[in-house]
Amino acid sequence: MRLRSVLILGLGFMVAASLAACGGGGSETASTSAPAASSAPAGQKVDPATAGDVTGSVVLDGTAPKNEPIRMNADPTCLKQATGEQTQETYMVGSDGKSLANVFVYVKDGLGSYSYDPPSGVVTIDQKGCRYHPHVFGMRTGQKLEILNSDPTLHNIHATPKSNSEFNTGQPIQGMKTEHTFNSQEVMVPFKSDVHGWMNAYVGVLDHPYFAVTGPDGKFTLKGLPPGTYTVEAWHEKLGATTQSVTLAAKETKDVSFAFKMAAAPTN
């Protein structure tokens, strides 16, 4: 019996050693789950001589609903500052009824480990006419965000991010300025006002410079991309996000279009 036990134990050690030598067992599982190598060596700079652009447009497939009206009666100062009819900026379409503004477009994946110069300049969000300006915008991690109150009334800006730190800044005096920076990527960070409930805005925070916001014509440009294959995402505050894959050769310009489908209104 003792001899049989020794033989079985020895056979077990031999099988285990054989699996280890062939890369079997747990080693194979670890290998298949490892992340793929990045498309660029860590720290490599983008070569402007080979960089290209991604251009495109965003349209609405369907009829945009009317934006919700804004009533500022609760604050006489806001009522006085505002000019004309005030509505939310949820669905901003061009004169053609299709071109969609306020869509945040950015490279979501494919950049690998390129490094970029630190962001220059200051991004500003202004509280003017009891509205946030701009409504949708982008900035870099570590870049300064200047928060300005241009109105002669109390304002506040309350950021509710998921990856960054929440902040809530009050500005009771016209002309007040405060600064804030975001340390982590996040698409998107919502802003709201606890004083004026109709005020809202969104910022996309990225660690690279390849982002844009569509204008009234629905168009955008992502400039200076290195050759490669990228996932480009278009984000809208109510319609969600949609992506496309784009392969860019050296010095190439590629045009892509995004269409957000507007769900048909339910019938009774």
Side-chain angles (χ1 to χ4, degrees), residues 146-178:
E146 182 182 79
I147 303 164
L148 173 64
N149 179 7
S150 291
D151 288 334
T153 190
L154 167 66
H155 278 307
N156 89 298
I157 186 165
H158 186 176
T160 57
K162 294 181 178 178
S163 301
N164 289 276
S165 298
E166 182 175 358
F167 69 88
N168 193 350
T169 302
Q171 295 180 324
I173 302 172
Q174 186 177 25
M176 284 188 70
K177 296 178 182 179
T178 55

PDB file of all heavy atoms in Angstrom, residues 146-178:
ATOM      1  N   GLU A 146     -12.374  78.281 -15.164  1.00  0.00           N
ATOM      2  CA  GLU A 146     -12.752  79.529 -14.507  1.00  0.00           C
ATOM      3  C   GLU A 146     -14.272  79.626 -14.478  1.00  0.00           C
ATOM      4  O   GLU A 146     -14.929  79.544 -15.518  1.00  0.00           O
ATOM      5  CB  GLU A 146     -12.161  80.721 -15.243  1.00  0.00           C
ATOM      6  CG  GLU A 146     -12.488  82.063 -14.586  1.00  0.00           C
ATOM      7  CD  GLU A 146     -11.929  83.228 -15.366  1.00  0.00           C
ATOM      8  OE1 GLU A 146     -12.539  83.609 -16.390  1.00  0.00           O
ATOM      9  OE2 GLU A 146     -10.873  83.750 -14.972  1.00  0.00           O
ATOM     10  N   ILE A 147     -14.817  79.787 -13.286  1.00  0.00           N
ATOM     11  CA  ILE A 147     -16.263  79.916 -13.099  1.00  0.00           C
ATOM     12  C   ILE A 147     -16.552  81.376 -12.806  1.00  0.00           C
ATOM     13  O   ILE A 147     -16.049  81.941 -11.836  1.00  0.00           O
ATOM     14  CB  ILE A 147     -16.737  79.017 -11.948  1.00  0.00           C
ATOM     15  CG1 ILE A 147     -16.347  77.558 -12.223  1.00  0.00           C
ATOM     16  CG2 ILE A 147     -18.242  79.132 -11.753  1.00  0.00           C
ATOM     17  CD1 ILE A 147     -16.418  76.662 -11.003  1.00  0.00           C
ATOM     18  N   LEU A 148     -17.378  82.000 -13.659  1.00  0.00           N
ATOM     19  CA  LEU A 148     -17.616  83.441 -13.591  1.00  0.00           C
ATOM     20  C   LEU A 148     -19.095  83.723 -13.367  1.00  0.00           C
ATOM     21  O   LEU A 148     -19.955  83.053 -13.942  1.00  0.00           O
ATOM     22  CB  LEU A 148     -17.150  84.089 -14.902  1.00  0.00           C
ATOM     23  CG  LEU A 148     -17.452  85.570 -15.126  1.00  0.00           C
ATOM     24  CD1 LEU A 148     -16.732  86.443 -14.101  1.00  0.00           C
ATOM     25  CD2 LEU A 148     -17.071  85.981 -16.543  1.00  0.00           C
ATOM     26  N   ASN A 149     -19.370  84.709 -12.531  1.00  0.00           N
ATOM     27  CA  ASN A 149     -20.740  85.206 -12.362  1.00  0.00           C
ATOM     28  C   ASN A 149     -20.827  86.598 -12.983  1.00  0.00           C
ATOM     29  O   ASN A 149     -20.295  87.567 -12.440  1.00  0.00           O
ATOM     30  CB  ASN A 149     -21.128  85.268 -10.884  1.00  0.00           C
ATOM     31  CG  ASN A 149     -22.544  85.796 -10.677  1.00  0.00           C
ATOM     32  OD1 ASN A 149     -23.284  86.001 -11.636  1.00  0.00           O
ATOM     33  ND2 ASN A 149     -22.922  86.024  -9.431  1.00  0.00           N
ATOM     34  N   SER A 150     -21.506  86.701 -14.113  1.00  0.00           N
ATOM     35  CA  SER A 150     -21.659  87.991 -14.793  1.00  0.00           C
ATOM     36  C   SER A 150     -22.971  88.684 -14.445  1.00  0.00           C
ATOM     37  O   SER A 150     -23.250  89.766 -14.981  1.00  0.00           O
ATOM     38  CB  SER A 150     -21.574  87.796 -16.314  1.00  0.00           C
ATOM     39  OG  SER A 150     -20.266  87.431 -16.694  1.00  0.00           O
ATOM     40  N   ASP A 151     -23.784  88.092 -13.596  1.00  0.00           N
ATOM     41  CA  ASP A 151     -25.092  88.651 -13.250  1.00  0.00           C
ATOM     42  C   ASP A 151     -25.077  89.327 -11.876  1.00  0.00           C
ATOM     43  O   ASP A 151     -24.345  88.892 -10.982  1.00  0.00           O
ATOM     44  CB  ASP A 151     -26.159  87.548 -13.226  1.00  0.00           C
ATOM     45  CG  ASP A 151     -26.512  87.050 -14.603  1.00  0.00           C
ATOM     46  OD1 ASP A 151     -26.346  87.805 -15.573  1.00  0.00           O
ATOM     47  OD2 ASP A 151     -26.962  85.886 -14.717  1.00  0.00           O
ATOM     48  N   PRO A 152     -25.907  90.350 -11.690  1.00  0.00           N
ATOM     49  CA  PRO A 152     -26.000  91.013 -10.383  1.00  0.00           C
ATOM     50  C   PRO A 152     -26.970  90.275  -9.451  1.00  0.00           C
ATOM     51  O   PRO A 152     -27.889  90.866  -8.874  1.00  0.00           O
ATOM     52  CB  PRO A 152     -26.526  92.406 -10.751  1.00  0.00           C
ATOM     53  CG  PRO A 152     -27.364  92.172 -11.959  1.00  0.00           C
ATOM     54  CD  PRO A 152     -26.698  91.063 -12.720  1.00  0.00           C
ATOM     55  N   THR A 153     -26.761  88.981  -9.318  1.00  0.00           N
ATOM     56  CA  THR A 153     -27.595  88.164  -8.436  1.00  0.00           C
ATOM     57  C   THR A 153     -26.802  86.954  -7.970  1.00  0.00           C
ATOM     58  O   THR A 153     -25.742  86.636  -8.538  1.00  0.00           O
ATOM     59  CB  THR A 153     -28.887  87.715  -9.154  1.00  0.00           C
ATOM     60  OG1 THR A 153     -29.784  87.128  -8.200  1.00  0.00           O
ATOM     61  CG2 THR A 153     -28.604  86.689 -10.240  1.00  0.00           C
ATOM     62  N   LEU A 154     -27.306  86.283  -6.961  1.00  0.00           N
ATOM     63  CA  LEU A 154     -26.636  85.089  -6.434  1.00  0.00           C
ATOM     64  C   LEU A 154     -26.709  83.944  -7.432  1.00  0.00           C
ATOM     65  O   LEU A 154     -27.776  83.631  -7.954  1.00  0.00           O
ATOM     66  CB  LEU A 154     -27.305  84.657  -5.119  1.00  0.00           C
ATOM     67  CG  LEU A 154     -26.933  83.262  -4.595  1.00  0.00           C
ATOM     68  CD1 LEU A 154     -25.470  83.201  -4.192  1.00  0.00           C
ATOM     69  CD2 LEU A 154     -27.839  82.876  -3.421  1.00  0.00           C
ATOM     70  N   HIS A 155     -25.560  83.331  -7.699  1.00  0.00           N
ATOM     71  CA  HIS A 155     -25.493  82.112  -8.502  1.00  0.00           C
ATOM     72  C   HIS A 155     -24.703  81.057  -7.730  1.00  0.00           C
ATOM     73  O   HIS A 155     -23.940  81.374  -6.812  1.00  0.00           O
ATOM     74  CB  HIS A 155     -24.810  82.360  -9.851  1.00  0.00           C
ATOM     75  CG  HIS A 155     -25.713  82.944 -10.886  1.00  0.00           C
ATOM     76  ND1 HIS A 155     -26.926  82.377 -11.217  1.00  0.00           N
ATOM     77  CD2 HIS A 155     -25.581  84.035 -11.683  1.00  0.00           C
ATOM     78  CE1 HIS A 155     -27.505  83.095 -12.160  1.00  0.00           C
ATOM     79  NE2 HIS A 155     -26.713  84.121 -12.464  1.00  0.00           N
ATOM     80  N   ASN A 156     -24.892  79.815  -8.144  1.00  0.00           N
ATOM     81  CA  ASN A 156     -24.003  78.759  -7.665  1.00  0.00           C
ATOM     82  C   ASN A 156     -23.874  77.711  -8.753  1.00  0.00           C
ATOM     83  O   ASN A 156     -24.727  77.589  -9.632  1.00  0.00           O
ATOM     84  CB  ASN A 156     -24.500  78.143  -6.351  1.00  0.00           C
ATOM     85  CG  ASN A 156     -25.434  76.970  -6.573  1.00  0.00           C
ATOM     86  OD1 ASN A 156     -26.499  77.122  -7.159  1.00  0.00           O
ATOM     87  ND2 ASN A 156     -25.040  75.807  -6.096  1.00  0.00           N
ATOM     88  N   ILE A 157     -22.779  76.993  -8.712  1.00  0.00           N
ATOM     89  CA  ILE A 157     -22.544  75.920  -9.681  1.00  0.00           C
ATOM     90  C   ILE A 157     -22.217  74.660  -8.899  1.00  0.00           C
ATOM     91  O   ILE A 157     -21.293  74.630  -8.089  1.00  0.00           O
ATOM     92  CB  ILE A 157     -21.438  76.296 -10.685  1.00  0.00           C
ATOM     93  CG1 ILE A 157     -21.317  75.226 -11.773  1.00  0.00           C
ATOM     94  CG2 ILE A 157     -20.115  76.578 -10.013  1.00  0.00           C
ATOM     95  CD1 ILE A 157     -20.516  75.677 -12.979  1.00  0.00           C
ATOM     96  N   HIS A 158     -23.011  73.637  -9.128  1.00  0.00           N
ATOM     97  CA  HIS A 158     -22.907  72.390  -8.372  1.00  0.00           C
ATOM     98  C   HIS A 158     -22.557  71.271  -9.355  1.00  0.00           C
ATOM     99  O   HIS A 158     -23.384  70.861 -10.164  1.00  0.00           O
ATOM    100  CB  HIS A 158     -24.237  72.110  -7.675  1.00  0.00           C
ATOM    101  CG  HIS A 158     -24.204  70.937  -6.752  1.00  0.00           C
ATOM    102  ND1 HIS A 158     -25.283  70.585  -5.974  1.00  0.00           N
ATOM    103  CD2 HIS A 158     -23.228  70.019  -6.482  1.00  0.00           C
ATOM    104  CE1 HIS A 158     -24.976  69.513  -5.258  1.00  0.00           C
ATOM    105  NE2 HIS A 158     -23.736  69.148  -5.563  1.00  0.00           N
ATOM    106  N   ALA A 159     -21.310  70.800  -9.298  1.00  0.00           N
ATOM    107  CA  ALA A 159     -20.853  69.709 -10.165  1.00  0.00           C
ATOM    108  C   ALA A 159     -21.105  68.378  -9.472  1.00  0.00           C
ATOM    109  O   ALA A 159     -20.787  68.224  -8.288  1.00  0.00           O
ATOM    110  CB  ALA A 159     -19.373  69.866 -10.485  1.00  0.00           C
ATOM    111  N   THR A 160     -21.672  67.421 -10.221  1.00  0.00           N
ATOM    112  CA  THR A 160     -21.971  66.104  -9.639  1.00  0.00           C
ATOM    113  C   THR A 160     -21.292  64.999 -10.453  1.00  0.00           C
ATOM    114  O   THR A 160     -21.961  64.206 -11.124  1.00  0.00           O
ATOM    115  CB  THR A 160     -23.487  65.871  -9.582  1.00  0.00           C
ATOM    116  OG1 THR A 160     -24.033  66.010 -10.905  1.00  0.00           O
ATOM    117  CG2 THR A 160     -24.162  66.884  -8.657  1.00  0.00           C
ATOM    118  N   PRO A 161     -19.966  64.940 -10.403  1.00  0.00           N
ATOM    119  CA  PRO A 161     -19.246  63.918 -11.164  1.00  0.00           C
ATOM    120  C   PRO A 161     -19.310  62.558 -10.480  1.00  0.00           C
ATOM    121  O   PRO A 161     -19.728  62.439  -9.319  1.00  0.00           O
ATOM    122  CB  PRO A 161     -17.814  64.460 -11.185  1.00  0.00           C
ATOM    123  CG  PRO A 161     -17.695  65.262  -9.933  1.00  0.00           C
ATOM    124  CD  PRO A 161     -19.059  65.836  -9.670  1.00  0.00           C
ATOM    125  N   LYS A 162     -18.849  61.532 -11.207  1.00  0.00           N
ATOM    126  CA  LYS A 162     -18.735  60.186 -10.637  1.00  0.00           C
ATOM    127  C   LYS A 162     -17.285  59.814 -10.365  1.00  0.00           C
ATOM    128  O   LYS A 162     -16.995  59.103  -9.409  1.00  0.00           O
ATOM    129  CB  LYS A 162     -19.366  59.165 -11.589  1.00  0.00           C
ATOM    130  CG  LYS A 162     -20.872  59.331 -11.738  1.00  0.00           C
ATOM    131  CD  LYS A 162     -21.462  58.277 -12.666  1.00  0.00           C
ATOM    132  CE  LYS A 162     -22.984  58.425 -12.773  1.00  0.00           C
ATOM    133  NZ  LYS A 162     -23.562  57.418 -13.708  1.00  0.00           N
ATOM    134  N   SER A 163     -16.364  60.273 -11.207  1.00  0.00           N
ATOM    135  CA  SER A 163     -14.951  59.912 -11.053  1.00  0.00           C
ATOM    136  C   SER A 163     -14.132  61.001 -10.378  1.00  0.00           C
ATOM    137  O   SER A 163     -13.063  60.737  -9.844  1.00  0.00           O
ATOM    138  CB  SER A 163     -14.335  59.606 -12.426  1.00  0.00           C
ATOM    139  OG  SER A 163     -15.018  58.556 -13.060  1.00  0.00           O
ATOM    140  N   ASN A 164     -14.604  62.224 -10.427  1.00  0.00           N
ATOM    141  CA  ASN A 164     -13.907  63.355  -9.816  1.00  0.00           C
ATOM    142  C   ASN A 164     -14.594  63.757  -8.516  1.00  0.00           C
ATOM    143  O   ASN A 164     -15.602  63.162  -8.121  1.00  0.00           O
ATOM    144  CB  ASN A 164     -13.871  64.528 -10.791  1.00  0.00           C
ATOM    145  CG  ASN A 164     -12.933  64.289 -11.957  1.00  0.00           C
ATOM    146  OD1 ASN A 164     -11.733  64.511 -11.863  1.00  0.00           O
ATOM    147  ND2 ASN A 164     -13.481  63.833 -13.082  1.00  0.00           N
ATOM    148  N   SER A 165     -14.064  64.762  -7.875  1.00  0.00           N
ATOM    149  CA  SER A 165     -14.625  65.230  -6.608  1.00  0.00           C
ATOM    150  C   SER A 165     -15.791  66.183  -6.878  1.00  0.00           C
ATOM    151  O   SER A 165     -15.703  67.078  -7.718  1.00  0.00           O
ATOM    152  CB  SER A 165     -13.563  65.958  -5.782  1.00  0.00           C
ATOM    153  OG  SER A 165     -12.502  65.080  -5.463  1.00  0.00           O
ATOM    154  N   GLU A 166     -16.861  66.003  -6.139  1.00  0.00           N
ATOM    155  CA  GLU A 166     -18.018  66.888  -6.245  1.00  0.00           C
ATOM    156  C   GLU A 166     -17.671  68.251  -5.645  1.00  0.00           C
ATOM    157  O   GLU A 166     -16.906  68.347  -4.682  1.00  0.00           O
ATOM    158  CB  GLU A 166     -19.205  66.283  -5.499  1.00  0.00           C
ATOM    159  CG  GLU A 166     -20.482  67.082  -5.567  1.00  0.00           C
ATOM    160  CD  GLU A 166     -21.654  66.371  -4.901  1.00  0.00           C
ATOM    161  OE1 GLU A 166     -21.459  65.233  -4.429  1.00  0.00           O
ATOM    162  OE2 GLU A 166     -22.754  66.951  -4.847  1.00  0.00           O
ATOM    163  N   PHE A 167     -18.216  69.309  -6.232  1.00  0.00           N
ATOM    164  CA  PHE A 167     -18.044  70.629  -5.622  1.00  0.00           C
ATOM    165  C   PHE A 167     -19.306  71.451  -5.833  1.00  0.00           C
ATOM    166  O   PHE A 167     -20.084  71.219  -6.768  1.00  0.00           O
ATOM    167  CB  PHE A 167     -16.801  71.354  -6.162  1.00  0.00           C
ATOM    168  CG  PHE A 167     -16.884  71.789  -7.599  1.00  0.00           C
ATOM    169  CD1 PHE A 167     -17.425  73.022  -7.957  1.00  0.00           C
ATOM    170  CD2 PHE A 167     -16.395  70.973  -8.606  1.00  0.00           C
ATOM    171  CE1 PHE A 167     -17.487  73.422  -9.279  1.00  0.00           C
ATOM    172  CE2 PHE A 167     -16.463  71.360  -9.943  1.00  0.00           C
ATOM    173  CZ  PHE A 167     -17.004  72.587 -10.277  1.00  0.00           C
ATOM    174  N   ASN A 168     -19.509  72.408  -4.952  1.00  0.00           N
ATOM    175  CA  ASN A 168     -20.681  73.280  -5.002  1.00  0.00           C
ATOM    176  C   ASN A 168     -20.218  74.674  -4.594  1.00  0.00           C
ATOM    177  O   ASN A 168     -19.923  74.927  -3.427  1.00  0.00           O
ATOM    178  CB  ASN A 168     -21.757  72.754  -4.046  1.00  0.00           C
ATOM    179  CG  ASN A 168     -23.102  73.416  -4.265  1.00  0.00           C
ATOM    180  OD1 ASN A 168     -23.208  74.399  -4.991  1.00  0.00           O
ATOM    181  ND2 ASN A 168     -24.136  72.892  -3.633  1.00  0.00           N
ATOM    182  N   THR A 169     -20.124  75.574  -5.553  1.00  0.00           N
ATOM    183  CA  THR A 169     -19.540  76.898  -5.333  1.00  0.00           C
ATOM    184  C   THR A 169     -20.598  77.979  -5.462  1.00  0.00           C
ATOM    185  O   THR A 169     -21.278  78.073  -6.491  1.00  0.00           O
ATOM    186  CB  THR A 169     -18.412  77.160  -6.352  1.00  0.00           C
ATOM    187  OG1 THR A 169     -17.418  76.139  -6.228  1.00  0.00           O
ATOM    188  CG2 THR A 169     -17.772  78.514  -6.118  1.00  0.00           C
ATOM    189  N   GLY A 170     -20.740  78.798  -4.430  1.00  0.00           N
ATOM    190  CA  GLY A 170     -21.662  79.926  -4.460  1.00  0.00           C
ATOM    191  C   GLY A 170     -20.941  81.210  -4.825  1.00  0.00           C
ATOM    192  O   GLY A 170     -19.801  81.431  -4.417  1.00  0.00           O
ATOM    193  N   GLN A 171     -21.606  82.056  -5.610  1.00  0.00           N
ATOM    194  CA  GLN A 171     -21.045  83.344  -6.017  1.00  0.00           C
ATOM    195  C   GLN A 171     -22.131  84.414  -5.874  1.00  0.00           C
ATOM    196  O   GLN A 171     -22.915  84.648  -6.799  1.00  0.00           O
ATOM    197  CB  GLN A 171     -20.528  83.274  -7.458  1.00  0.00           C
ATOM    198  CG  GLN A 171     -19.342  82.327  -7.634  1.00  0.00           C
ATOM    199  CD  GLN A 171     -18.848  82.280  -9.075  1.00  0.00           C
ATOM    200  OE1 GLN A 171     -19.632  82.353 -10.013  1.00  0.00           O
ATOM    201  NE2 GLN A 171     -17.549  82.153  -9.247  1.00  0.00           N
ATOM    202  N   PRO A 172     -22.177  85.094  -4.738  1.00  0.00           N
ATOM    203  CA  PRO A 172     -23.245  86.068  -4.494  1.00  0.00           C
ATOM    204  C   PRO A 172     -23.023  87.431  -5.134  1.00  0.00           C
ATOM    205  O   PRO A 172     -23.950  88.243  -5.179  1.00  0.00           O
ATOM    206  CB  PRO A 172     -23.244  86.186  -2.970  1.00  0.00           C
ATOM    207  CG  PRO A 172     -21.841  85.867  -2.570  1.00  0.00           C
ATOM    208  CD  PRO A 172     -21.346  84.851  -3.550  1.00  0.00           C
ATOM    209  N   ILE A 173     -21.809  87.696  -5.628  1.00  0.00           N
ATOM    210  CA  ILE A 173     -21.483  89.044  -6.116  1.00  0.00           C
ATOM    211  C   ILE A 173     -21.157  89.002  -7.598  1.00  0.00           C
ATOM    212  O   ILE A 173     -20.415  88.130  -8.059  1.00  0.00           O
ATOM    213  CB  ILE A 173     -20.291  89.632  -5.315  1.00  0.00           C
ATOM    214  CG1 ILE A 173     -20.626  89.683  -3.820  1.00  0.00           C
ATOM    215  CG2 ILE A 173     -19.918  91.010  -5.833  1.00  0.00           C
ATOM    216  CD1 ILE A 173     -19.465  90.049  -2.950  1.00  0.00           C
ATOM    217  N   GLN A 174     -21.686  89.953  -8.332  1.00  0.00           N
ATOM    218  CA  GLN A 174     -21.396  90.059  -9.763  1.00  0.00           C
ATOM    219  C   GLN A 174     -19.898  90.253  -9.985  1.00  0.00           C
ATOM    220  O   GLN A 174     -19.241  91.023  -9.295  1.00  0.00           O
ATOM    221  CB  GLN A 174     -22.161  91.239 -10.368  1.00  0.00           C
ATOM    222  CG  GLN A 174     -22.035  91.356 -11.881  1.00  0.00           C
ATOM    223  CD  GLN A 174     -22.876  92.497 -12.431  1.00  0.00           C
ATOM    224  OE1 GLN A 174     -23.184  93.463 -11.718  1.00  0.00           O
ATOM    225  NE2 GLN A 174     -23.267  92.409 -13.686  1.00  0.00           N
ATOM    226  N   GLY A 175     -19.364  89.519 -10.952  1.00  0.00           N
ATOM    227  CA  GLY A 175     -17.939  89.618 -11.269  1.00  0.00           C
ATOM    228  C   GLY A 175     -17.063  88.637 -10.522  1.00  0.00           C
ATOM    229  O   GLY A 175     -15.855  88.567 -10.791  1.00  0.00           O
ATOM    230  N   MET A 176     -17.634  87.869  -9.597  1.00  0.00           N
ATOM    231  CA  MET A 176     -16.830  86.896  -8.853  1.00  0.00           C
ATOM    232  C   MET A 176     -16.299  85.806  -9.781  1.00  0.00           C
ATOM    233  O   MET A 176     -16.974  85.381 -10.729  1.00  0.00           O
ATOM    234  CB  MET A 176     -17.653  86.245  -7.736  1.00  0.00           C
ATOM    235  CG  MET A 176     -17.869  87.122  -6.526  1.00  0.00           C
ATOM    236  SD  MET A 176     -18.637  86.221  -5.136  1.00  0.00           S
ATOM    237  CE  MET A 176     -17.284  85.150  -4.643  1.00  0.00           C
ATOM    238  N   LYS A 177     -15.073  85.361  -9.495  1.00  0.00           N
ATOM    239  CA  LYS A 177     -14.452  84.282 -10.262  1.00  0.00           C
ATOM    240  C   LYS A 177     -13.876  83.263  -9.292  1.00  0.00           C
ATOM    241  O   LYS A 177     -13.289  83.627  -8.266  1.00  0.00           O
ATOM    242  CB  LYS A 177     -13.321  84.810 -11.148  1.00  0.00           C
ATOM    243  CG  LYS A 177     -13.750  85.780 -12.226  1.00  0.00           C
ATOM    244  CD  LYS A 177     -12.534  86.265 -13.017  1.00  0.00           C
ATOM    245  CE  LYS A 177     -12.931  87.285 -14.074  1.00  0.00           C
ATOM    246  NZ  LYS A 177     -11.749  87.775 -14.827  1.00  0.00           N
ATOM    247  N   THR A 178     -14.056  81.997  -9.618  1.00  0.00           N
ATOM    248  CA  THR A 178     -13.394  80.927  -8.884  1.00  0.00           C
ATOM    249  C   THR A 178     -12.805  79.961  -9.903  1.00  0.00           C
ATOM    250  O   THR A 178     -13.195  79.968 -11.079  1.00  0.00           O
ATOM    251  CB  THR A 178     -14.355  80.176  -7.945  1.00  0.00           C
ATOM    252  OG1 THR A 178     -15.473  79.710  -8.707  1.00  0.00           O
ATOM    253  CG2 THR A 178     -14.856  81.071  -6.828  1.00  0.00           C
TER     254      THR A 178
END
